[in-house]
Amino acid sequence: MQYGYFDDSRKEYVITTPTTPYPWINYLGSQEYFSLISNTAGGYCFYKDAKLRRITRYRYNNVPLDLGGGHYYYINDNGDVWCPGWAPVKAELDRYECRHGMGYTKITGARGGLETEVTYFVPLNTNAEIHKVVVKNTSGQKKQVKLFSFVEWCLWNAWDDMTNFQRNYNTGEVEIKGSVIYHKTEYKERRDHYAFFSVNAPIAGFDSDRESFMGTYNGFHNPQVVFEGKPSNSVADGWHPIASHCLEVQLEPGETKEYVFVLGYVENAFEEKFESKNVINKKKAEAMIEKFSTTAAVDKALAELAEHWDNLLGKIKLEHEDDKLNRMVNIWNQYQCMVTFNLSRSASYFESGIGRGMGFRDSNQDLLGFVHQIPDRARERIIDLASTQLEDGGAYHQYQPLTKKGNDEIGGNFNDDPLWLVLAVVAYIKETGDFSILDVMTPFDNDESKSTPLSDHLKRSMDHVINNLGPHGLPLIGRADWNDCLNLNCFSTTPGESFQTTTSKDGRVAESVMIAGMFCYIGDEYVTLMEKVGNQKEADRIRKEVIKMREVVMKDGWDGSWFLRAYDDFGKKIGSNENEEGKIFIESQGLCIMGNCGTEDGSAIKALDAVEERLGTKYGLVLQNPAFTKYYVEYGEISTYPAGYKENAGIFCHNNAWIMCAEAQMGRGDKAFDYYTRIAPAYTEEYSEIHRTEPYCYSQMVAGKDAKRHGEAKNSWLTGTASWNFVAISQYILGIIPEYDGLKIDPSIPKKWDGYKVTREFRGDVYDITIKNPNHVSKGVAKMIVDGKEVQGNIIPLAGDKKTHKVEVVLG
Ligand code: BGC
Ligand code: IFM
C-alpha cells in the first residue's frame, strides 16, 4: 500500500495522508542551521550541533507519536480550530498534502472553505528557517480567521534541557519587539547567541509563555489561547518560553494572503559579546528579517535553493526505462548521501541528537556517496577525520563536530576504522585528481606538533592492520570491526551478568576475517595509489602483505562453502558450518570477494550462492543465519538482540550493498540488481504498510526473517546504507567508475536490459554516455567510441576541456 507518490519532475515525494505508517520526515538546511520536519509539521531545529545548540524543543519517545514539538500553525475559523499539517489538533481535513522536496517541505491543509499552505525551508547561507504561509479563501463568503504560529524554545543544551529542571525552570527569558519574539535565555552570561521568531505583518497579539498559551493541563492539541481565539500577550519568566504570533486574517471570497515567518539564530562576533549586559544586539536579526520581508524575496531564495540542488544532483544523471531506478539514482539516494554528510549519525527520528558525534568509519564511508557532489567539503572532512587518528594508526572511534576532538569515552580499538580512511582518500583523489591532499600536514590526535603528511596517515592505517595480527595471521578484531555488536574480546565478570568489552589488546586474540577482506580490497587500492605517486617501494611492500593475507584468508578464513566471519578470543570459529547458530555472516562474504579472495577458483561464487540460500529474503539479505536465540557472552552485544533484529540477523541494508558489489564484480548483474531492488526505497514504496519508514530514503535495518515483524524497517536516514548503495548502483552495477586517469565504464547489469544513458560530470568535463546491450549480456565492454573515435579498453581518456563529450559503449 502507498501513502503518496513520487513527483520526479519536482524532485518531491508527495504524501497524501497525514497518517503515514510512521512520521515521514525531511531535512532543511545543509550548512549551519538544520531543521527536521515531519509530514505533520513535527520536528525541531538546531545550529551546527544538535546537542549543544538546540533551538527548539522536541520530546523523543513521546505519546502520541510525533507530538513532541514542532513548527506548528493553528487556525481558528469562527470557533473551528484546525491545523494545516493536521497535527497537533488533528481535526479532519478536506484536503491534505505534504511535499517533501530537496531541502524544503510544503504542507497544505484545507478545511471549511479555507486552504492554508506552509512552505518550510532554510535559504542558502542563512541561519534561519522560513515559513511561507499562504491562506486562501475558497468559500463563497467573506472570512475573518485567526492564524496562530507556534514554536517552543529549547534552552540550548538539549541534554540539560530535558534533565536539569531545578535550574532551567528559572532561566527562560524572552523579549518582544513589534512582530518579533526574541529568545534570550542564557544571554546574560554568554552573550554570544540568541534566537528569534518573526512575521512580516502586524500582529493582533502574541504569547511567549507556554502555560499561558496552552493552559496548565492542556497539550499542543488544545491550546487555550487558540481555542479562545485570543492571544494573552504573555511574557515568559522562567518555565517554558515559546513563541506564538496571532494574526487576524480577513479574506474576501477567492482572496489569498501571504505571510513570511522567520525562525532564526544569531551568533554574535567575539567583540559583540562584551558590548552589552542583557540587551541583545538585534541588528543581525533585523537584517535577516528585512532580507526576507517580502514573498518575492522568499520565492527567490527558494528558487536559488532549487538551483543549488539541481547542481549538486546534476553531476550524475541516469536515463533508464525503470523510473524507480531513475529516481533513486538521480534524486533520493544522492539526497540522502548529502544528509548523512551533514548530520552523520546525530539527529533523526531514531537518533536523538544528544548521543553520538561523528563516527570515524561512518564518516569515511559516507564520503563515498557525496564526494562527487561536494569535493571541497569532502577534502575538509578527510583532514578533520585524519586529524583524530592516533600515532599508531588506530583512530578515535568518534569525534565531536564542534570541537573536532576525539571522544575519549569511546576510545579507539575498533580495528577496521583506520582502513576506511584509506578508502575515502582514494575515492577523493579518483574523483578530483587532486593528489596534493596527500601532502597536507595533518596532526595526530589533533596535536599540531605531531603532524605528518596525510600519505603517512594512510601508511600508518595499513600498518595498524599489519602490526595487529592474531594467531592465524588474520587481523585482530579489537573491540569490534564494522559490526559494532560482534564483541569477541568479551568477558563476563559474573556469570549471567552483562558483558564488558576490553578496550585494549590485553593479550586478547579474536581475529576478523572481515578486516582481512577489507585489507585485501583496500590494500589493492593503496598499492595502486602508491604506484601512481611513484612510491614503488611502498607499493611493493603492501602488495606482498595483501598477497599473504589472501593466502591466510583462503587457508584459515574459508569454511568450505563460504568465508568464516572471525575467530573468537578462545580460537573458536565464528560464522562456520560447525556453529549451531550464526553459521554464516554476510560481511566477510562481501568484503573478501571485493578483496579478490577466492575469485579465481570458484570459491567466491560458492559463497555468493550460500548467501542467497541462507541469508536471502524478499526484503533483503539478513546479516547472519541462523539467528542467535540465546545470549552468548563470548560474542557480546550481537546475541543480546532478539532474533531478526539489528546485528542479530536483521537485514542490515548497509552490508547488502557489499553483496551487490561482489555479485557485480563476479559478473552476475542479474543477482546484483535483484538485491538492489529488494531494499531500494522506491521499490519498497508499494508495501509501505509493512516497511513503515519513508519510501524515499534507506533505513539502517529491516526486520529479518526470524523477526515477528519481518519486513518492517527502523532507523531511517542516517546510515552508511546511503553511500554504499550509491556506490553499488552507480559504480558496480551501472558501471560508471571514477579512476585516476579517467572514467572507467564497466557495467554489470541484468541481461534483459537493452541499455541506458548516463550523463556524468567528471573533473569539469561532461560525458554523455550511451550504453547499449544488443547481445543481452551482463558484463563486458566490446566497443567504446568517444567523440566518434574508437578507444581501446574501457577508460574514457580525460578530455580536460570543460566540454561535453559523447561516449557510446556497446556491451558484448
Ligand atoms: C547498536 C549498533 C550501533 C552501536 C553504536 C549498538 O548498540 O546496536 O547498531 O552501531 O550501538 O555505538
Ligand atoms: O558499522 C556500524 C556503524 O558504525 C554504526 N551503525 C551500525 C553499524 C554496524 O554495527
Side-chain angles (χ1 to χ4, degrees):
M1 188 180 162
Q2 289 184 203
Y3 298 82
Y5 59 93
F6 287 94
D7 183 344
D8 296 334
S9 65
R10 295 168 186 252
K11 302 192 177 72
E12 290 174 344
Y13 191 80
V14 188
I15 303 167
T16 49
T17 167
T19 51
T20 43
Y22 203 72
W24 286 359
I25 73 162
N26 193 15
Y27 287 89
L28 317 177
S30 57
Q31 289 159 309
E32 298 186 326
Y33 183 108
F34 296 98
S35 195
L36 281 69
I37 181 157
S38 74
N39 58 310
T40 59
Y44 62 92
C45 49
F46 59 91
Y47 172 76
K48 278 191 185 171
D49 187 316
K51 177 178 175 186
L52 300 175
R53 288 288 188 285
R54 188 76 68 97
I55 299 169
T56 58
R57 239 180 217 169
Y58 188 78
R59 293 159 194 81
Y60 277 94
N61 220 348
N62 202 54
V63 180
L65 203 57
D66 197 27
L67 276 193
H71 332 239
Y72 298 140
Y73 286 88
Y74 297 91
I75 283 164
N76 183 328
D77 181 0
N78 253 314
D80 182 33
V81 175
W82 58 279
C83 297
W86 181 64
V89 171
K90 296 186 182 169
E92 205 178 315
L93 297 173
D94 300 336
R95 189 170 99 80
Y96 160 91
E97 185 185 86
C98 168
R99 289 178 173 263
H100 283 318
M102 304 291 103
Y104 68 89
T105 286
K106 189 189 280 192
I107 301 179
T108 311
R111 182 175 156 107
L114 194 76
E115 190 175 277
T116 305
E117 175 194 281
V118 190
T119 306
Y120 300 90
F121 73 106
V122 175
L124 295 173
N125 308 315
T126 305
N127 288 330
E129 65 186 67
I130 304 288
H131 306 168
K132 180 184 161 194
V133 181
V134 181
V135 197
K136 185 172 182 191
N137 181 359
T138 56
S139 77
Q141 283 104 47
K142 193 172 166 165
K143 277 200 182 268
Q144 195 154 4
V145 304
K146 297 227 166 66
L147 171 71
F148 293 87
S149 67
F150 177 84
V151 296
E152 182 181 12
W153 303 114
C154 179
L155 307 181
W156 303 117
N157 179 326
W159 171 256
D160 194 69
D161 184 69
M162 64 175 94
T163 49
N164 196 7
F165 311 115
Q166 60 79 27
R167 176 179 198 274
N168 297 340
Y169 286 177
N170 301 288
T171 61
E173 275 186 88
V174 297
E175 191 178 321
I176 294 97
K177 194 180 165 205
S179 299
V180 193
I181 300 166
Y182 290 91
H183 177 221
K184 56 184 206 180
T185 302
E186 281 188 2
Y187 193 78
K188 182 151 53 66
E189 76 263 37
R190 305 179 66 110
R191 280 174 239 159
D192 60 354
H193 59 269
Y194 63 87
F196 67 89
F197 194 26
S198 71
V199 57
N200 66 343
I203 53 176
F206 62 87
D207 271 283
S208 68
D209 169 60
R210 197 182 79 203
E211 272 183 64
S212 312
F213 176 76
M214 255 172 214
T216 305
Y217 294 101
N218 292 17
F220 294 127
H221 66 292
N222 59 354
Q224 195 173 301
V225 153
V226 174
F227 276 77
E228 283 170 1
K230 210 170 159 311
S232 81
N233 296 341
S234 58
V235 179
D237 191 29
W239 293 108
H240 306 282
I242 59 151
S244 171
H245 308 90
C246 173
L247 275 76
E248 271 167 13
V249 186
Q250 292 189 23
L251 295 161
E252 295 299 326
E255 195 187 352
T256 295
K257 285 214 167 119
E258 300 183 325
Y259 302 96
V260 180
F261 291 82
V262 183
L263 174 58
Y265 171 87
V266 175
E267 183 134 288
N268 285 329
F270 183 72
E271 60 283 3
E272 288 170 303
K273 287 183 200 174
F274 304 98
E275 263 178 16
S276 51
K277 289 199 175 62
N278 197 16
V279 183
I280 62 178
N281 180 345
K282 302 190 180 64
K283 273 188 241 129
K284 284 186 187 162
E286 283 164 356
M288 248 193 270
I289 293 165
E290 175 57 31
K291 185 165 178 201
F292 298 105
S293 59
T294 63
T295 42
V298 167
D299 292 344
K300 186 165 159 269
L302 199 52
E304 281 164 9
L305 185 68
E307 199 188 320
H308 168 78
W309 277 104
D310 284 350
N311 282 337
L312 284 181
L313 304 181
K315 307 251 160 38
I316 294 183
K317 192 168 184 312
L318 170 70
E319 286 170 64
H320 194 284
E321 59 188 18
D322 179 351
D323 283 342
K324 292 185 174 128
L325 182 57
N326 288 331
R327 65 176 64 114
M328 283 312 309
V329 173
N330 297 336
I331 308 173
W332 293 98
N333 193 177
Q334 290 200 67
Y335 183 59
Q336 189 177 357
C337 287
M338 284 302 289
V339 171
T340 60
F341 163 71
N342 287 325
L343 280 300
S344 187
R345 305 294 175 269
S346 71
S348 72
Y349 267 28
F350 297 86
E351 298 278 11
S352 64
I354 56 172
R356 308 194 229 174
M358 311 283 290
F360 192 88
R361 78 155 80 90
D362 297 342
S363 300
N364 277 307
Q365 290 174 88
D366 290 347
L367 192 136
L368 308 176
F370 64 73
V371 62
H372 64 289
Q373 301 187 65
I374 44 164
D376 295 346
R377 296 181 80 189
R379 190 183 209 264
E380 221 178 281
R381 179 62 57 85
I382 286 174
I383 303 300
D384 283 352
L385 285 161
S387 305
T388 67
Q389 196 177 19
L390 303 167
E391 280 178 289
D392 73 350
Y396 282 108
H397 194 51
Q398 294 179 357
Y399 72 93
Q400 276 313 118
L402 268 191
T403 62
K404 298 191 175 174
K405 291 260 156 48
N407 189 341
D408 272 324
E409 277 164 43
I410 302 170
N413 203 26
F414 290 78
N415 285 350
D416 63 317
D417 273 341
L419 288 175
W420 296 116
L421 175 68
V422 180
L423 192 63
V425 173
V426 165
Y428 169 78
I429 300 177
K430 285 184 174 177
E431 181 64 40
T432 59
D434 172 20
F435 286 92
S436 75
I437 192 172
L438 293 172
D439 303 327
V440 176
M441 291 301 281
T442 311
F444 288 104
D445 198 1
N446 279 103
D447 180 347
E448 294 290 340
S449 71
K450 293 190 237 154
S451 291
T452 63
L454 181 67
S455 56
D456 183 50
H457 284 250
L458 304 192
K459 175 175 179 291
R460 294 194 199 201
S461 291
M462 300 308 297
D463 282 333
H464 189 263
V465 176
I466 298 166
N467 296 337
N468 289 281
L469 298 176
H472 298 89
L474 290 162
L476 291 174
I477 199 168
R479 180 159 156 177
D481 61 23
W482 173 88
N483 188 330
D484 278 328
C485 302
L486 190 63
N487 315 122
L488 302 178
N489 290 322
C490 283
F491 59 92
S492 170
T493 34
T494 320
E497 267 190 8
S498 70
F499 62 87
Q500 294 178 7
T501 37
T502 52
T503 48
S504 69
K505 253 204 300 182
D506 283 348
R508 300 202 166 251
V509 294
E511 296 169 287
S512 164
V513 178
M514 176 192 165
I515 301 181
M518 275 179 77
F519 182 79
C520 298
Y521 159 52
I522 295 169
D524 275 350
E525 293 286 1
Y526 178 78
V527 167
T528 314
L529 177 63
M530 288 301 107
E531 282 174 339
K532 281 275 157 217
V533 299
N535 192 346
Q536 196 57 46
K537 206 168 139 217
E538 176 68 352
D540 291 343
R541 180 177 81 94
I542 297 298
R543 183 183 296 107
K544 275 191 212 130
E545 296 290 344
V546 169
I547 292 171
K548 198 156 75 186
M549 187 68 81
R550 263 189 208 117
E551 283 165 12
V552 175
V553 167
M554 294 320 291
K555 182 173 165 285
D556 287 321
W558 177 251
D559 196 51
S561 296
W562 54 79
F563 295 95
L564 284 177
R565 178 63 175 84
Y567 285 94
D568 72 13
D569 193 30
F570 309 98
K572 250 184 62 209
K573 291 176 184 172
I574 309 276
S576 161
N577 206 16
E578 289 170 18
N579 298 117
E580 220 174 286
E581 303 190 320
K583 283 173 182 288
I584 170 171
F585 281 66
I586 197 169
E587 306 99 316
S588 44
Q589 317 312 320
L591 281 158
C592 288
I593 297 171
M594 289 167 80
N596 262 311
C597 302
T599 45
E600 315 249 286
D601 65 1
S603 309
I605 294 291
K606 241 190 200 174
L608 288 170
D609 288 344
V611 165
E612 170 68 305
E613 188 193 325
R614 292 172 184 256
L615 308 179
T617 81
K618 64 176 175 176
Y619 301 123
L621 299 160
V622 299
L623 190 146
Q624 55 99 354
N625 182 260
F628 298 117
T629 54
K630 52 184 189 204
Y631 175 47
Y632 299 80
V633 71
E634 69 277 23
Y635 294 176
E637 187 176 350
I638 189 165
S639 59
T640 66
Y641 283 113
Y645 291 98
K646 294 280 284 185
E647 283 87 343
N648 186 13
I651 296 160
F652 234 87
C653 298
H654 184 140
N655 53 38
N656 275 229
W658 296 334
I659 300 299
M660 296 167 207
C661 295
E663 289 283 10
Q665 185 181 320
M666 298 309 293
R668 304 207 300 184
D670 279 287
K671 281 263 72 146
F673 189 66
D674 172 17
Y675 290 139
Y676 176 79
T677 60
R678 292 192 208 183
I679 60 167
Y683 299 83
T684 68
E685 185 194 17
E686 59 202 50
Y687 57 88
S688 287
E689 78 286 7
I690 298 171
H691 188 264
R692 297 190 67 203
T693 54
E694 297 89 337
Y696 44 87
C697 70
Y698 285 96
S699 289
Q700 181 204 50
M701 199 259 340
V702 176
K705 57 185 173 181
D706 311 279
K708 296 198 181 67
R709 305 173 73 151
H710 183 33
E712 181 185 73
K714 288 196 189 98
N715 198 1
S716 56
W717 284 103
L718 304 182
T719 159
T721 307
S723 60
W724 268 109
N725 276 271
F726 191 68
V727 169
I729 190 66
S730 63
Q731 299 192 28
Y732 282 81
I733 299 175
L734 296 170
I736 314 294
I737 308 164
E739 283 292 350
Y740 298 110
D741 303 321
L743 271 185
K744 181 161 119 190
I745 309 298
D746 187 14
S748 194
I749 55 173
K751 290 189 197 68
K752 69 166 196 233
W753 286 8
D754 294 323
Y756 49 96
K757 282 187 177 179
V758 176
T759 309
R760 174 69 153 90
E761 210 180 297
F762 185 62
R763 310 225 192 133
D765 304 326
V766 177
Y767 299 92
D768 252 331
I769 307 162
T770 306
I771 294 177
K772 292 188 180 139
N773 190 19
N775 299 321
H776 292 277
V777 298
S778 275
K779 201 178 175 79
V781 170
K783 196 169 166 187
M784 190 161 84
I785 297 169
V786 180
D787 292 329
K789 283 193 213 108
E790 185 159 353
V791 185
Q792 290 312 304
N794 61 348
I795 297 190
I796 309 171
L798 276 176
D801 57 6
K802 310 252 176 291
K803 291 195 177 134
T804 300
H805 300 273
K806 247 186 138 42
V807 182
E808 284 171 64
V809 179
V810 181
L811 304 181

